[in-house]
Amino acid sequence: MLIRLLGTGNAAQIPVFGCSCRVCARARVDERYRRRPSSAEIVTSTGRYLLDAGRTDLAEWLDPSVLRGVILTHYHMDHVEGLFQLRWGPLPAIPVYGPPDENGADDLFTHPGCFDFSHQLLPYVPTTISEELTVIPLPLRHSRLCFGYVLRGRRESIAYLSDCDGVGPQSLEQLRREAPKAVIVDCTYPPDAGRNHFSLDRALAFAEHVGAPRVYLTHIGHQLEQYLLEAPLPLDGPVSVACDGMTLTVD
Amino acid sequence: MLIRLLGTGNAAQIPVFGCSCRVCARARVDERYRRRPSSAEIVTSTGRYLLDAGRTDLAEWLDPSVLRGVILTHYHMDHVEGLFQLRWGPLPAIPVYGPPDENGADDLFTHPGCFDFSHQLLPYVPTTISEELTVIPLPLRHSRLCFGYVLRGRRESIAYLSDCDGVGPQSLEQLRREAPKAVIVDCTYPPDAGRNHFSLDRALAFAEHVGAPRVYLTHIGHQLEQYLLEAPLPLDGPVSVACDGMTLTVD
C-alpha cells in the first residue's frame, strides 16, 4: 500500500493568493514548492482512496474507475471542497468514511450525488476499508469534530493527524499502542503562534512525546515556511517537513 | 468595458467527472469544448470584476492588483467555490456585491478573509459599481435567492441571467425597458427536462418574449450539449450557445 501526499498546505495553500513573500513568490515559479490543501491518496492493489478531498483539480486527473472511496478527517472546506464538482458524476455510489458530523459542508449532505456519506466512523474503533487497509479514527483537538487516522496495512501502520492542535490522552494511548512507523502531523504555524493547529514548538513537543521513528509535518502555512528558511529542521533528526507528492509505503 | 465569459457550464461542468458520453469525451481531449462553472470577468479601464466565482483555479491566473470586486448572482457552491481559497489573501478588503442571502455558503460569512460581503444589493435598484459600470439586480426564479443583472455601461447594456427557470413580470418589464444589446441566459437542459433552470424550449420561448437582438445560452449541461449535436440551433438566428472565453463589448 502507498500513501501519496496530494497536498501539504493549509487552507490558504502556498502560494497564498496576492502574497508576495519569498515563500509564495518562489512557489509561484517553481512547482516543487507549492503546497496544495492537505490530503493524500491511498493506493492499494484493488483501488484507490482519497484521504480528504480539498484539491479542486481532482476531476482533471483522478481515474473514477479505480476510486474505491473517500476518507475524510473533517468537514472544513479545505478538506472537502473537491467533492462539490465530483459528486455529479454518473457513477455507482462511492462510500465516504468520516466523522459523524451532522452538518457536513454546505449542501453536500442534501445533494450528495454519487457519494454515500452514511459510512460514519466511530472514535477508536478499527474499521476495515479493504483487505489491505484498516483505519482507526483518533479524535483530535480542533475547532470542528475531526479525526486523525491510524492507517494500518497488513504488517505496518502510519498515522495521519491533520488538523489538530493537540491529541487527547485516549487518542495518544492508542497511537502509542499502534506504534506507527511514521506520523504525519499538522504543523501550520511558526513557534508560539496560531490556534486550532499545531505551531512548530507544539508539533515538535508532540513528536517527541509520541516517539515515532519518523514524523512528517504537514498543513504548512506560508509563515511557518518563511520561518523554516531561516531556521531549518536538522537533517539528521526524526522530524521532517513533508512536501506535495511525498510517498510512503505501508506493508 | 468587456464581458469575458470564464465559464458556461452547469455545476457538473463539462466534462462531467466519470462520464464518457460523446460530449464529455470530446471536452476531455479538446479544451475548446470544456465548460467551466458559469461566470464572467468584467474588464473596465480601472480594474476587473468577477461576476460569480465558481472557478477554483482563479488563484492561478487572476491578478489581485486589478481585482476591484466580485458580483455574485447567488450563493450556490458552483458560483462561489473559488472564493474559499482566495479569501486568505493578505489584501485590502475586496467588495462583494450580491443578493441579501443570510446564509451565504458554508463558512464564507463567518470567515470572510479579504472579502467584504456587506455590499448587499436591492432588487431593481441601479447600483453604480464604477464610473463605467452600473448593475441592476433582477430577481430570478431559482431554488435560491438569485439575481440576474443588467450590466450597464456608458451607452449600452447587456443582461446576465444565470441561474433561472423563469423571470417574473417586474424583472421582465425592467429588462425590456433597459433594452440590452444582448442577453446571456441560463439554459441547462434539453427540451422539456429539468427544473430550477431553463430547458431549451423554455429558454427559447423566453428569448422570443424578451426580444433582445442577441441571446447567448449559458450554464449548459452535458445532456443539452448532446441534444445540440443532433439538433443544432440555426446559425442565422438571434440565439446562440455561448462558450468559455466568449467576449462581448459594452460601450
Side-chain angles (χ1 to χ4, degrees):
Chain A
M1 187 165 74
L2 297 176
I3 316 287
R4 185 167 72 92
L5 299 185
L6 299 177
T8 57
N10 67 351
Q13 305 180 41
I14 294 176
V16 176
F17 179 62
C19 180
S20 53
C21 79
R22 271 204 293 170
V23 161
C24 290
R26 181 178 67 171
R28 215 165 267 123
V29 295
D30 189 338
E31 184 75 12
R32 292 173 300 173
Y33 293 105
R34 283 190 67 161
R35 293 189 187 274
R36 294 180 170 82
S38 284
S39 53
E41 185 181 32
I42 303 172
V43 183
T44 75
S45 61
T46 54
R48 297 179 182 218
Y49 298 84
L50 291 175
L51 178 52
D52 281 342
R55 278 184 65 152
T56 54
D57 64 344
L58 294 168
E60 306 282 334
W61 54 266
L62 183 65
D63 180 353
S65 71
V66 299
L67 179 62
R68 295 286 170 270
V70 181
I71 303 164
L72 296 178
T73 59
H74 65 306
Y75 283 90
H76 273 151
M77 192 54 80
D78 56 318
H79 294 260
V80 298
E81 195 176 344
L83 300 181
F84 285 92
Q85 180 188 353
L86 300 189
R87 64 180 159 170
W88 305 119
L91 297 166
I94 298 166
V96 180
Y97 307 89
D101 185 318
E102 281 181 12
N103 299 317
D106 204 67
D107 66 349
L108 265 187
F109 286 178
T110 44
H111 298 288
C114 62
F115 291 113
D116 175 3
F117 289 96
S118 68
H119 300 263
Q120 294 186 342
L121 301 174
L122 295 172
Y124 314 114
V125 177
T127 303
T128 299
I129 303 285
S130 82
E131 205 189 329
E132 286 159 80
L133 172 64
T134 296
V135 301
I136 307 171
L138 302 179
L140 304 176
R141 285 194 197 127
H142 190 47
S143 54
R144 187 161 188 168
L145 177 61
C146 182
F147 284 164
Y149 291 104
V150 172
L151 305 167
R152 197 196 271 164
R154 290 200 175 93
R155 286 177 291 274
E156 297 178 326
S157 66
I158 71 160
Y160 185 87
L161 310 174
S162 166
D163 302 6
C164 68
D165 193 8
V167 177
Q170 194 172 347
S171 290
L172 194 61
E173 191 193 321
Q174 188 137 4
L175 190 58
R176 282 176 162 160
R177 204 163 47 232
E178 289 292 326
K181 66 186 255 190
V183 173
I184 301 164
V185 65
D186 182 337
C187 184
T188 302
Y189 299 114
D192 306 314
R195 60 192 178 85
N196 286 325
H197 299 277
F198 272 140
S199 55
L200 184 59
D201 55 321
R202 300 198 295 273
L204 292 177
F206 170 78
E208 198 171 331
H209 202 53
V210 170
R214 295 292 315 161
V215 175
Y216 298 99
L217 307 181
T218 188
H219 210 272
I220 309 291
H222 70 148
Q223 284 161 326
L224 170 59
E225 189 112 50
Q226 289 164 37
Y227 176 88
L228 289 168
L229 284 181
E230 306 299 331
L233 297 177
L235 288 175
D236 56 354
V239 183
S240 330
V241 180
C243 63
D244 289 22
M246 194 186 87
T247 303
L248 300 173
T249 58
V250 184
D251 284 341
Chain B
M1 185 165 74
L2 296 176
I3 316 288
R4 186 165 74 92
L5 299 186
L6 298 177
T8 57
N10 67 351
Q13 306 181 39
I14 294 176
V16 177
F17 180 62
C19 180
S20 53
C21 78
R22 269 203 296 169
V23 160
C24 291
R26 180 177 68 171
R28 215 165 268 123
V29 295
D30 188 337
E31 183 76 13
R32 291 173 300 172
Y33 294 105
R34 283 190 67 161
R35 294 188 186 274
R36 294 180 171 82
S38 284
S39 52
E41 184 181 33
I42 303 171
V43 182
T44 75
S45 61
T46 54
R48 295 176 183 220
Y49 298 85
L50 292 175
L51 177 52
D52 281 342
R55 279 184 64 153
T56 54
D57 63 345
L58 294 168
E60 306 283 334
W61 54 267
L62 182 65
D63 180 352
S65 71
V66 298
L67 178 62
R68 295 285 170 269
V70 181
I71 303 165
L72 295 179
T73 60
H74 65 306
Y75 284 90
H76 273 152
M77 192 56 78
D78 57 317
H79 294 260
V80 297
E81 195 176 345
L83 301 181
F84 286 91
Q85 180 189 353
L86 300 190
R87 64 180 159 170
W88 304 118
L91 296 166
I94 298 166
V96 180
Y97 306 89
D101 185 318
E102 280 181 14
N103 299 316
D106 204 67
D107 66 351
L108 265 188
F109 286 179
T110 44
H111 297 290
C114 62
F115 292 114
D116 174 3
F117 289 97
S118 68
H119 300 263
Q120 294 186 342
L121 301 175
L122 295 172
Y124 313 115
V125 177
T127 303
T128 300
I129 303 286
S130 82
E131 205 189 329
E132 285 159 80
L133 173 64
T134 296
V135 302
I136 307 171
L138 302 179
L140 303 176
R141 285 192 197 129
H142 190 47
S143 54
R144 186 162 187 167
L145 177 61
C146 182
F147 284 165
Y149 290 104
V150 171
L151 305 167
R152 197 196 272 165
R154 289 201 176 92
R155 285 178 292 272
E156 296 178 325
S157 67
I158 71 160
Y160 185 87
L161 309 174
S162 165
D163 300 4
C164 69
D165 193 7
V167 177
Q170 194 173 347
S171 290
L172 194 62
E173 191 193 320
Q174 187 138 6
L175 191 57
R176 282 176 162 161
R177 205 163 47 229
E178 288 292 325
K181 66 187 257 191
V183 172
I184 301 164
V185 65
D186 182 336
C187 184
T188 302
Y189 299 115
D192 306 313
R195 59 193 179 86
N196 286 326
H197 299 277
F198 272 140
S199 54
L200 184 58
D201 55 321
R202 298 197 296 274
L204 292 178
F206 170 78
E208 198 172 332
H209 202 52
V210 170
R214 295 292 314 161
V215 175
Y216 298 99
L217 307 181
T218 189
H219 210 272
I220 310 291
H222 70 148
Q223 286 163 326
L224 171 58
E225 189 112 50
Q226 289 164 38
Y227 176 89
L228 290 168
L229 283 181
E230 306 299 331
L233 296 178
L235 288 175
D236 56 354
V239 183
S240 331
V241 180
C243 64
D244 291 20
M246 194 185 87
T247 303
L248 300 173
T249 56
V250 184
D251 283 339

